[in-house]
Amino acid sequence: MKSTERAPQSYRDDAALPAFPDDEPVLFAHRDCTRCSIRARVVARHDREGTIRLRAVRSPLGLA
């Protein structure tokens, strides 16, 4: 590998990141932020199939 090339990276290699299912999108929202709360509610209302997971920014996954 040349010095200017980078090795492939993956979040899966990060030991600080808790395991989570990554087969569907995750939306992080700050619980105390009015904009985030409104957007999370809009997404939840329109995501009838439940494909988007809502998580708090301050959750273990969000902090990682």
Side-chain angles (χ1 to χ4, degrees):
M1 180 181 309
K2 296 180 183 178
S3 62
T4 57
E5 294 178 7
R6 294 184 181 181
Q9 295 182 359
S10 173
Y11 62 87
R12 292 182 175 114
D13 297 332
D14 188 349
L17 186 65
F20 70 99
D22 61 354
D23 57 333
E24 294 175 346
V26 179
L27 173 68
F28 293 96
H30 194 284
R31 192 173 177 180
D32 299 328
C33 172
T34 304
R35 271 191 218 154
C36 290
S37 297
I38 291 169
R39 288 179 182 153
R41 281 184 283 198
V42 168
V43 167
R45 183 173 43 236
H46 293 289
D47 182 28
R48 293 195 171 101
E49 295 178 12
T51 57
I52 299 176
R53 295 182 186 97
L54 299 173
R55 297 291 181 260
V57 171
R58 294 183 182 166
S59 68
L61 182 59
L63 291 172

